[in-house]
Coordinates of all heavy atoms in Angstrom, one line a residue:
M1 N 5.4 15.7 -12.8 CA 5.8 15.4 -11.4 C 4.8 14.3 -10.9 O 3.6 14.4 -11.1 CB 5.6 16.7 -10.5 CG 5.9 16.4 -9.1 SD 5.9 18.0 -8.2 CE 5.9 17.4 -6.6
Q2 N 5.4 13.3 -10.3 CA 4.6 12.2 -9.8 C 3.9 12.6 -8.5 O 4.5 13.3 -7.6 CB 5.5 11.0 -9.5 CG 4.7 9.8 -9.1 CD 5.7 8.6 -8.8 OE1 6.9 8.8 -8.7 NE2 5.1 7.4 -8.8
S3 N 2.6 12.3 -8.4 CA 1.8 12.6 -7.1 C 2.3 11.7 -6.0 O 2.6 10.5 -6.2 CB 0.3 12.5 -7.4 OG 0.0 11.2 -7.6
L4 N 2.3 12.2 -4.8 CA 2.6 11.5 -3.6 C 1.4 11.2 -2.8 O 0.5 12.1 -2.7 CB 3.6 12.2 -2.8 CG 4.9 12.6 -3.5 CD1 5.8 13.5 -2.6 CD2 5.7 11.3 -3.9
F5 N 1.2 10.0 -2.3 CA 0.1 9.7 -1.4 C 0.6 8.7 -0.4 O 1.5 8.0 -0.6 CB -1.1 9.2 -2.2 CG -0.8 8.1 -3.1 CD1 -1.0 6.8 -2.6 CD2 -0.4 8.3 -4.4 CE1 -0.7 5.7 -3.5 CE2 -0.2 7.2 -5.2 CZ -0.3 5.9 -4.7
F6 N -0.1 8.6 0.7 CA 0.1 7.6 1.7 C -1.2 7.2 2.3 O -2.1 7.9 2.3 CB 1.2 8.0 2.7 CG 0.7 9.2 3.5 CD1 0.1 9.1 4.7 CD2 1.0 10.5 3.0 CE1 -0.3 10.2 5.4 CE2 0.6 11.6 3.7 CZ -0.1 11.5 4.9
I7 N -1.2 6.0 2.9 CA -2.4 5.5 3.5 C -2.5 6.1 4.9 O -1.6 6.2 5.6 CB -2.3 3.9 3.6 CG1 -3.7 3.4 4.0 CG2 -1.2 3.4 4.5 CD1 -4.7 3.4 2.9
L8 N -3.7 6.5 5.2 CA -4.0 7.0 6.5 C -4.7 5.9 7.3 O -4.4 5.7 8.4 CB -5.0 8.2 6.5 CG -4.5 9.5 5.9 CD1 -5.5 10.5 5.9 CD2 -3.3 9.9 6.8
D9 N -5.6 5.1 6.6 CA -6.3 4.1 7.4 C -6.9 3.1 6.4 O -7.5 3.5 5.4 CB -7.4 4.8 8.2 CG -8.1 3.9 9.1 OD1 -7.5 3.0 9.7 OD2 -9.4 4.0 9.2
V10 N -6.8 1.8 6.8 CA -7.6 0.7 6.2 C -8.2 0.1 7.4 O -7.5 -0.4 8.3 CB -6.8 -0.3 5.4 CG1 -7.7 -1.4 5.0 CG2 -6.2 0.3 4.2
S11 N -9.5 0.2 7.5 CA -10.2 -0.3 8.7 C -11.4 -1.2 8.4 O -12.0 -1.1 7.4 CB -10.6 0.8 9.6 OG -11.5 1.6 8.9
P12 N -11.6 -2.2 9.3 CA -10.7 -2.6 10.4 C -9.5 -3.3 9.9 O -9.4 -3.8 8.8 CB -11.6 -3.6 11.2 CG -12.5 -4.1 10.2 CD -12.8 -3.1 9.2
L13 N -8.4 -3.2 10.7 CA -7.1 -3.8 10.3 C -7.2 -5.3 10.1 O -6.7 -5.8 9.1 CB -6.0 -3.4 11.3 CG -4.6 -3.8 10.9 CD1 -4.2 -3.3 9.5 CD2 -3.6 -3.4 11.9
N14 N -7.9 -6.0 11.0 CA -8.1 -7.4 10.9 C -9.6 -7.6 11.2 O -10.1 -7.3 12.3 CB -7.3 -8.2 11.9 CG -5.8 -8.1 11.5 OD1 -5.4 -8.5 10.4 ND2 -5.0 -7.6 12.5
A15 N -10.3 -8.1 10.2 CA -11.8 -8.2 10.3 C -12.2 -9.7 10.6 O -11.7 -10.6 9.9 CB -12.5 -7.7 9.1
Y16 N -13.0 -9.9 11.5 CA -13.6 -11.2 11.8 C -15.1 -11.1 11.6 O -15.7 -10.4 12.3 CB -13.3 -11.6 13.3 CG -11.8 -11.7 13.5 CD1 -11.1 -10.6 14.0 CD2 -11.1 -12.9 13.3 CE1 -9.7 -10.6 14.3 CE2 -9.7 -12.9 13.5 CZ -9.0 -11.8 14.0 OH -7.7 -11.9 14.2
V17 N -15.6 -11.9 10.6 CA -17.0 -11.8 10.3 C -17.6 -13.2 10.2 O -16.8 -14.2 9.9 CB -17.2 -11.1 8.9 CG1 -16.9 -9.6 9.1 CG2 -16.4 -11.7 7.8
S18 N -18.9 -13.3 10.4 CA -19.6 -14.6 10.2 C -20.2 -14.7 8.9 O -20.6 -13.7 8.3 CB -20.7 -14.7 11.3 OG -20.1 -14.6 12.6
V19 N -20.4 -15.9 8.4 CA -21.1 -16.1 7.2 C -22.5 -15.5 7.3 O -23.2 -15.7 8.3 CB -21.2 -17.7 6.9 CG1 -22.1 -17.9 5.7 CG2 -19.8 -18.2 6.6
G20 N -22.9 -14.8 6.3 CA -24.2 -14.1 6.3 C -24.2 -12.7 6.7 O -25.2 -12.0 6.5
S21 N -23.1 -12.3 7.4 CA -23.0 -10.9 7.9 C -22.4 -10.0 6.8 O -21.9 -10.5 5.8 CB -22.2 -10.8 9.2 OG -20.9 -11.2 8.9
T22 N -22.5 -8.7 7.0 CA -22.0 -7.8 6.0 C -20.6 -7.3 6.5 O -20.4 -6.8 7.6 CB -22.9 -6.6 5.8 OG1 -24.2 -7.1 5.4 CG2 -22.4 -5.6 4.8
L23 N -19.6 -7.4 5.6 CA -18.3 -6.9 5.8 C -18.3 -5.5 5.4 O -18.8 -5.1 4.3 CB -17.3 -7.7 5.0 CG -15.9 -7.2 4.9 CD1 -15.2 -7.3 6.3 CD2 -15.1 -8.0 3.8
N24 N -17.7 -4.6 6.2 CA -17.5 -3.2 5.9 C -16.1 -2.8 6.0 O -15.5 -2.9 7.1 CB -18.3 -2.3 6.9 CG -19.8 -2.4 6.7 OD1 -20.4 -2.0 5.7 ND2 -20.5 -3.0 7.6
L25 N -15.4 -2.5 4.9 CA -14.0 -2.1 4.9 C -13.9 -0.7 4.4 O -14.6 -0.3 3.4 CB -13.2 -3.0 4.0 CG -13.1 -4.5 4.3 CD1 -12.3 -5.2 3.3 CD2 -12.5 -4.6 5.7
T26 N -13.1 0.1 5.0 CA -12.8 1.5 4.5 C -11.4 1.7 4.3 O -10.5 1.3 5.0 CB -13.3 2.5 5.6 OG1 -14.7 2.3 5.9 CG2 -13.1 3.9 5.2
C27 N -11.1 2.4 3.1 CA -9.7 2.8 2.8 C -9.7 4.3 2.6 O -10.5 4.8 1.8 CB -9.3 2.1 1.5 SG -7.6 2.6 1.0
T28 N -8.9 5.0 3.4 CA -8.8 6.4 3.4 C -7.4 6.8 3.2 O -6.5 6.3 3.8 CB -9.3 7.1 4.7 OG1 -10.6 6.6 4.9 CG2 -9.3 8.6 4.6
I29 N -7.1 7.7 2.2 CA -5.7 8.2 2.0 C -5.7 9.7 2.0 O -6.7 10.4 1.9 CB -5.2 7.7 0.6 CG1 -6.0 8.3 -0.6 CG2 -5.2 6.2 0.5 CD1 -5.2 8.4 -1.8
E30 N -4.5 10.2 2.1 CA -4.3 11.6 1.9 C -3.4 11.8 0.7 O -2.5 11.0 0.5 CB -3.5 12.2 3.1 CG -3.4 13.7 3.0 CD -2.8 14.3 4.3 OE1 -3.5 14.1 5.4 OE2 -1.7 14.8 4.2
E31 N -3.7 12.7 -0.2 CA -2.9 12.9 -1.4 C -2.6 14.3 -1.6 O -3.2 15.2 -1.1 CB -3.7 12.3 -2.6 CG -5.1 13.0 -2.7 CD -5.9 12.3 -3.8 OE1 -5.4 12.3 -5.0 OE2 -7.0 11.9 -3.5
D32 N -1.6 14.5 -2.5 CA -1.2 15.9 -2.8 C -1.8 16.5 -4.0 O -2.1 17.7 -4.1 CB 0.3 16.0 -2.8 CG 0.9 15.4 -4.0 OD1 0.3 14.5 -4.6 OD2 2.1 15.7 -4.3
S33 N -2.0 15.7 -5.1 CA -2.6 16.3 -6.3 C -3.3 15.3 -7.2 O -3.9 15.8 -8.2 CB -1.4 16.9 -7.1 OG -0.5 15.9 -7.5
S34 N -3.4 14.1 -6.9 CA -4.0 13.1 -7.8 C -5.5 12.9 -7.5 O -5.8 12.9 -6.3 CB -3.3 11.7 -7.7 OG -3.9 10.8 -8.5
F35 N -6.3 12.8 -8.6 CA -7.7 12.6 -8.4 C -8.2 11.2 -8.9 O -9.3 11.0 -9.1 CB -8.5 13.7 -9.1 CG -8.3 15.1 -8.4 CD1 -7.4 16.0 -9.0 CD2 -8.9 15.4 -7.2 CE1 -7.2 17.2 -8.4 CE2 -8.7 16.6 -6.6 CZ -7.9 17.5 -7.2
D36 N -7.2 10.3 -9.2 CA -7.5 9.0 -9.7 C -8.2 8.2 -8.6 O -8.1 8.5 -7.4 CB -6.3 8.3 -10.1 CG -5.7 9.0 -11.3 OD1 -6.4 9.5 -12.2 OD2 -4.4 9.0 -11.4
S37 N -9.0 7.2 -9.0 CA -9.8 6.5 -8.1 C -9.1 5.5 -7.3 O -8.0 4.9 -7.7 CB -11.0 5.8 -8.8 OG -10.4 4.8 -9.7
L38 N -9.6 5.1 -6.1 CA -9.2 4.1 -5.3 C -10.0 2.8 -5.6 O -11.2 2.9 -5.9 CB -9.4 4.4 -3.8 CG -8.6 5.5 -3.2 CD1 -9.2 6.0 -1.9 CD2 -7.2 5.1 -2.9
V39 N -9.4 1.6 -5.4 CA -10.2 0.4 -5.5 C -9.8 -0.6 -4.5 O -8.7 -0.5 -3.9 CB -10.0 -0.2 -6.9 CG1 -10.5 0.6 -8.0 CG2 -8.5 -0.6 -7.2
F40 N -10.7 -1.5 -4.1 CA -10.3 -2.7 -3.3 C -10.2 -3.8 -4.2 O -11.0 -4.0 -5.1 CB -11.5 -3.0 -2.3 CG -11.3 -2.3 -0.9 CD1 -12.1 -1.4 -0.5 CD2 -10.2 -2.7 -0.1 CE1 -11.9 -0.8 0.7 CE2 -10.0 -2.2 1.1 CZ -10.9 -1.2 1.6
M41 N -9.1 -4.6 -4.0 CA -8.9 -5.9 -4.8 C -8.9 -7.0 -3.9 O -8.4 -7.0 -2.7 CB -7.6 -5.8 -5.5 CG -7.4 -4.7 -6.5 SD -8.4 -4.9 -8.0 CE -7.4 -6.2 -8.8
F42 N -9.5 -8.2 -4.3 CA -9.5 -9.4 -3.6 C -9.3 -10.5 -4.6 O -10.0 -10.6 -5.6 CB -10.8 -9.6 -2.8 CG -10.8 -10.9 -2.0 CD1 -10.0 -11.2 -1.0 CD2 -11.8 -11.9 -2.4 CE1 -10.0 -12.4 -0.3 CE2 -11.8 -13.1 -1.7 CZ -11.0 -13.3 -0.7
N43 N -8.3 -11.4 -4.4 CA -8.0 -12.5 -5.3 C -7.8 -12.0 -6.7 O -8.2 -12.7 -7.7 CB -9.0 -13.6 -5.2 CG -8.9 -14.4 -3.9 OD1 -7.9 -14.5 -3.3 ND2 -10.0 -15.0 -3.5
G44 N -7.2 -10.9 -6.9 CA -6.9 -10.3 -8.2 C -8.0 -9.7 -8.9 O -7.9 -9.4 -10.1
E45 N -9.2 -9.6 -8.3 CA -10.3 -9.0 -8.9 C -10.8 -7.7 -8.1 O -10.8 -7.7 -6.9 CB -11.5 -10.0 -9.0 CG -11.1 -11.2 -9.7 CD -12.2 -11.9 -10.5 OE1 -13.3 -11.3 -10.4 OE2 -12.0 -12.9 -11.1
E46 N -11.3 -6.7 -8.9 CA -11.8 -5.5 -8.3 C -13.1 -5.8 -7.6 O -14.0 -6.4 -8.2 CB -11.9 -4.4 -9.3 CG -12.2 -3.1 -8.7 CD -12.2 -2.0 -9.8 OE1 -11.4 -2.1 -10.8 OE2 -12.9 -1.0 -9.6
E47 N -13.3 -5.3 -6.4 CA -14.5 -5.4 -5.7 C -15.4 -4.2 -6.0 O -14.9 -3.1 -6.2 CB -14.2 -5.5 -4.2 CG -13.5 -6.8 -3.7 CD -14.4 -8.0 -3.7 OE1 -15.6 -7.9 -3.3 OE2 -13.9 -9.0 -4.2
S48 N -16.7 -4.4 -6.0 CA -17.7 -3.4 -6.2 C -17.7 -2.5 -4.9 O -17.9 -2.9 -3.8 CB -19.1 -3.9 -6.4 OG -19.1 -4.6 -7.6
I49 N -17.6 -1.2 -5.2 CA -17.6 -0.2 -4.1 C -19.0 0.4 -4.0 O -19.6 0.8 -5.0 CB -16.6 0.9 -4.4 CG1 -15.2 0.3 -4.6 CG2 -16.6 2.0 -3.2 CD1 -14.7 -0.5 -3.4
Q50 N -19.5 0.3 -2.8 CA -20.9 0.8 -2.6 C -20.9 2.3 -2.3 O -21.9 3.0 -2.5 CB -21.6 0.1 -1.4 CG -21.6 -1.4 -1.6 CD -22.5 -1.8 -2.8 OE1 -23.6 -1.2 -3.0 NE2 -22.0 -2.7 -3.6
N51 N -19.8 2.8 -1.7 CA -19.8 4.2 -1.3 C -18.4 4.7 -1.5 O -17.5 4.0 -1.2 CB -20.2 4.4 0.1 CG -20.4 5.8 0.6 OD1 -20.4 6.7 -0.2 ND2 -20.4 6.0 1.9
S52 N -18.2 5.9 -2.1 CA -16.9 6.4 -2.2 C -16.9 7.9 -2.1 O -17.9 8.6 -2.4 CB -16.3 6.0 -3.6 OG -17.0 6.6 -4.7
G53 N -15.7 8.5 -1.8 CA -15.5 9.9 -1.8 C -14.2 10.2 -2.5 O -13.6 9.3 -3.0
K54 N -13.8 11.4 -2.4 CA -12.6 11.8 -3.1 C -11.4 11.1 -2.6 O -10.5 10.7 -3.3 CB -12.4 13.3 -3.0 CG -11.1 13.8 -3.7 CD -11.0 15.3 -3.5 CE -9.6 15.8 -3.9 NZ -9.4 17.2 -3.6
N55 N -11.3 11.0 -1.3 CA -10.1 10.3 -0.6 C -10.4 9.1 0.1 O -9.6 8.6 0.9 CB -9.4 11.3 0.3 CG -8.9 12.5 -0.5 OD1 -8.5 12.4 -1.6 ND2 -8.8 13.7 0.2
S56 N -11.6 8.5 -0.1 CA -11.9 7.3 0.7 C -12.9 6.4 -0.1 O -13.6 6.9 -0.9 CB -12.4 7.6 2.1 OG -13.7 8.2 2.0
I57 N -12.9 5.1 0.2 CA -13.8 4.2 -0.4 C -14.3 3.3 0.7 O -13.6 3.1 1.7 CB -13.3 3.4 -1.5 CG1 -12.0 2.6 -1.1 CG2 -13.0 4.2 -2.8 CD1 -11.5 1.6 -2.2
V58 N -15.5 2.8 0.5 CA -16.1 1.9 1.5 C -16.6 0.6 0.7 O -17.3 0.8 -0.3 CB -17.3 2.5 2.3 CG1 -18.0 1.5 3.2 CG2 -16.9 3.7 3.0
L59 N -16.2 -0.5 1.2 CA -16.6 -1.8 0.6 C -17.6 -2.4 1.5 O -17.3 -2.6 2.7 CB -15.4 -2.7 0.4 CG -15.7 -4.2 0.0 CD1 -16.4 -4.2 -1.4 CD2 -14.5 -5.0 0.0
R60 N -18.8 -2.7 1.0 CA -19.8 -3.4 1.8 C -20.1 -4.7 1.0 O -20.5 -4.7 -0.1 CB -21.1 -2.6 1.9 CG -20.9 -1.4 2.9 CD -22.2 -0.7 3.1 NE -22.0 0.4 4.0 CZ -21.6 1.7 3.6 NH1 -21.5 1.9 2.3 NH2 -21.4 2.6 4.5
K61 N -19.9 -5.9 1.7 CA -20.0 -7.2 1.0 C -20.6 -8.2 2.0 O -20.1 -8.3 3.1 CB -18.6 -7.6 0.6 CG -18.5 -8.9 -0.1 CD -17.0 -9.2 -0.5 CE -16.9 -10.5 -1.2 NZ -15.5 -10.7 -1.6
V62 N -21.7 -8.9 1.5 CA -22.3 -9.9 2.3 C -21.3 -11.1 2.2 O -21.0 -11.6 1.1 CB -23.7 -10.2 1.8 CG1 -24.2 -11.5 2.6 CG2 -24.6 -9.0 2.0
I63 N -21.0 -11.7 3.3 CA -20.0 -12.8 3.4 C -20.8 -14.1 3.1 O -21.7 -14.4 3.9 CB -19.3 -12.9 4.7 CG1 -18.5 -11.6 4.9 CG2 -18.4 -14.1 4.8 CD1 -17.4 -11.3 3.9
R64 N -20.4 -14.8 2.1 CA -21.2 -16.0 1.6 C -20.5 -17.3 2.2 O -21.1 -18.3 2.2 CB -21.2 -16.1 0.1 CG -21.8 -14.8 -0.5 CD -23.1 -15.1 -1.2 NE -23.6 -13.9 -1.8 CZ -24.6 -13.1 -1.4 NH1 -25.1 -13.4 -0.2 NH2 -25.0 -12.1 -2.0
G65 N -19.2 -17.2 2.5 CA -18.5 -18.4 3.0 C -17.0 -18.1 3.1 O -16.6 -17.0 2.9
T66 N -16.2 -19.2 3.4 CA -14.8 -19.0 3.6 C -14.1 -18.5 2.3 O -13.0 -18.1 2.4 CB -14.2 -20.3 4.1 OG1 -14.5 -21.4 3.2 CG2 -14.7 -20.6 5.5
K67 N -14.7 -18.6 1.2 CA -14.1 -18.1 -0.1 C -13.9 -16.6 0.0 O -13.1 -16.1 -0.8 CB -15.0 -18.5 -1.3 CG -16.3 -17.9 -1.4 CD -17.1 -18.3 -2.6 CE -18.5 -17.8 -2.6 NZ -18.7 -16.4 -2.4
D68 N -14.6 -15.9 0.9 CA -14.5 -14.5 1.0 C -13.4 -14.1 2.0 O -13.1 -12.9 2.3 CB -15.8 -13.9 1.5 CG -16.9 -14.0 0.5 OD1 -16.6 -13.9 -0.7 OD2 -18.0 -14.3 0.9
E69 N -12.7 -15.1 2.6 CA -11.6 -14.9 3.5 C -10.3 -14.7 2.8 O -10.0 -15.2 1.8 CB -11.5 -16.2 4.4 CG -10.6 -16.1 5.5 CD -10.7 -17.4 6.4 OE1 -10.2 -18.5 6.0 OE2 -11.3 -17.3 7.5
G70 N -9.5 -13.8 3.4 CA -8.2 -13.5 2.8 C -7.8 -12.0 3.0 O -8.3 -11.3 3.8
V71 N -6.8 -11.6 2.1 CA -6.3 -10.3 2.2 C -7.0 -9.4 1.1 O -7.1 -9.8 0.0 CB -4.8 -10.3 1.9 CG1 -4.2 -8.8 1.9 CG2 -4.1 -11.1 3.0
Y72 N -7.5 -8.3 1.6 CA -8.2 -7.3 0.7 C -7.2 -6.1 0.6 O -6.8 -5.5 1.6 CB -9.5 -6.8 1.3 CG -10.6 -7.8 1.2 CD1 -10.6 -9.0 2.0 CD2 -11.6 -7.7 0.3 CE1 -11.6 -9.9 1.9 CE2 -12.6 -8.6 0.1 CZ -12.6 -9.8 0.9 OH -13.6 -10.7 0.8
D73 N -6.8 -5.8 -0.6 CA -5.8 -4.7 -0.8 C -6.5 -3.4 -1.3 O -7.5 -3.5 -2.1 CB -4.8 -5.1 -1.9 CG -3.9 -6.2 -1.5 OD1 -3.5 -6.2 -0.3 OD2 -3.7 -7.1 -2.3
C74 N -6.1 -2.3 -0.9 CA -6.5 -1.0 -1.3 C -5.5 -0.5 -2.3 O -4.3 -0.4 -1.9 CB -6.7 -0.1 -0.2 SG -7.3 1.6 -0.7
L75 N -5.9 -0.2 -3.5 CA -5.0 0.3 -4.5 C -5.3 1.7 -5.0 O -6.5 2.0 -5.1 CB -5.0 -0.6 -5.8 CG -4.2 -2.0 -5.6 CD1 -5.1 -3.0 -4.9 CD2 -3.8 -2.5 -6.9
K76 N -4.3 2.4 -5.4 CA -4.5 3.7 -6.0 C -3.5 3.8 -7.2 O -2.3 3.5 -7.0 CB -4.2 4.9 -5.0 CG -4.4 6.2 -5.7 CD -4.5 7.3 -4.6 CE -4.7 8.7 -5.2 NZ -6.0 8.8 -6.0
N77 N -4.0 4.1 -8.3 CA -3.2 4.1 -9.5 C -2.4 2.8 -9.7 O -1.3 2.8 -10.2 CB -2.2 5.3 -9.5 CG -2.8 6.6 -9.5 OD1 -3.9 6.8 -10.0 ND2 -2.2 7.6 -8.8
G78 N -3.1 1.7 -9.4 CA -2.5 0.4 -9.5 C -1.4 0.0 -8.5 O -0.9 -1.1 -8.6
Q79 N -1.2 0.8 -7.5 CA -0.2 0.6 -6.5 C -0.9 0.3 -5.2 O -1.8 1.1 -4.8 CB 0.7 1.7 -6.3 CG 1.6 2.0 -7.5 CD 2.5 3.2 -7.3 OE1 2.5 3.8 -6.2 NE2 3.3 3.5 -8.3
K80 N -0.5 -0.7 -4.5 CA -1.1 -1.0 -3.2 C -0.7 0.0 -2.1 O 0.5 0.3 -2.0 CB -0.6 -2.4 -2.7 CG -1.3 -2.8 -1.4 CD -1.0 -4.3 -1.1 CE 0.1 -4.5 -0.2 NZ 0.2 -5.8 0.3
V81 N -1.7 0.6 -1.5 CA -1.4 1.6 -0.5 C -1.9 1.2 0.9 O -1.6 1.8 1.9 CB -2.1 3.0 -0.8 CG1 -1.5 3.6 -2.1 CG2 -3.6 2.8 -1.0
G82 N -2.5 0.0 1.0 CA -2.9 -0.6 2.3 C -3.6 -1.9 2.1 O -4.0 -2.3 0.9
S83 N -3.7 -2.6 3.1 CA -4.4 -3.9 3.1 C -5.0 -4.3 4.4 O -4.6 -3.7 5.4 CB -3.5 -5.0 2.5 OG -2.5 -5.3 3.4
T84 N -5.9 -5.2 4.4 CA -6.5 -5.8 5.7 C -6.8 -7.2 5.4 O -7.0 -7.7 4.3 CB -7.7 -5.0 6.1 OG1 -8.1 -5.4 7.4 CG2 -8.9 -5.2 5.1
T85 N -6.7 -8.0 6.5 CA -7.0 -9.4 6.5 C -8.4 -9.7 7.0 O -8.8 -9.2 8.1 CB -6.0 -10.2 7.3 OG1 -4.7 -9.9 6.8 CG2 -6.2 -11.7 7.2
V86 N -9.2 -10.5 6.3 CA -10.5 -10.9 6.7 C -10.6 -12.3 7.0 O -10.1 -13.2 6.2 CB -11.5 -10.5 5.6 CG1 -12.9 -11.0 5.9 CG2 -11.6 -9.0 5.3
E87 N -11.1 -12.7 8.2 CA -11.3 -14.1 8.6 C -12.8 -14.3 8.7 O -13.5 -13.5 9.3 CB -10.5 -14.4 9.9 CG -9.0 -14.3 9.7 CD -8.3 -14.8 11.0 OE1 -8.8 -15.7 11.6 OE2 -7.3 -14.2 11.3
V88 N -13.2 -15.5 8.2 CA -14.6 -15.8 8.2 C -14.9 -16.9 9.1 O -14.2 -18.0 9.1 CB -15.1 -16.2 6.7 CG1 -16.5 -16.7 6.8 CG2 -14.9 -15.0 5.8
E89 N -15.9 -16.7 10.0 CA -16.3 -17.7 11.0 C -17.5 -18.4 10.4 O -18.5 -17.7 10.1 CB -16.5 -17.1 12.3 CG -17.0 -18.1 13.4 CD -17.4 -17.4 14.6 OE1 -17.2 -16.1 14.8 OE2 -17.9 -18.1 15.5
C90 N -17.5 -19.7 10.3 CA -18.7 -20.5 9.9 C -19.5 -20.8 11.1 O -19.0 -21.2 12.1 CB -18.3 -21.7 9.2 SG -17.4 -21.5 7.6
K91 N -20.8 -20.6 11.0 CA -21.7 -20.8 12.2 C -22.0 -22.3 12.3 O -22.1 -23.0 11.4 CB -23.0 -20.0 12.0 CG -22.7 -18.5 12.1 CD -24.0 -17.8 12.0 CE -23.8 -16.3 12.1 NZ -25.0 -15.5 12.0

């Protein structure tokens, strides 16, 4: 039987950050039976997760420039369950 899950929250939904500041993204899901890990993906690459729990992950990333701007997807079992858009403001 395939496990069912749905996104409860990816926050913030739209993040506005300045160069040099720390981006904090959280992906939280509710699931019925799967214990597989959650990941954040950006530009096709998995982001390092600083903190995680059974049903949530937290991404903390220092913003280096506009190259960090774009859509960050939250995936579970290779399927997108949520996303958020990050916009970078240059000082």
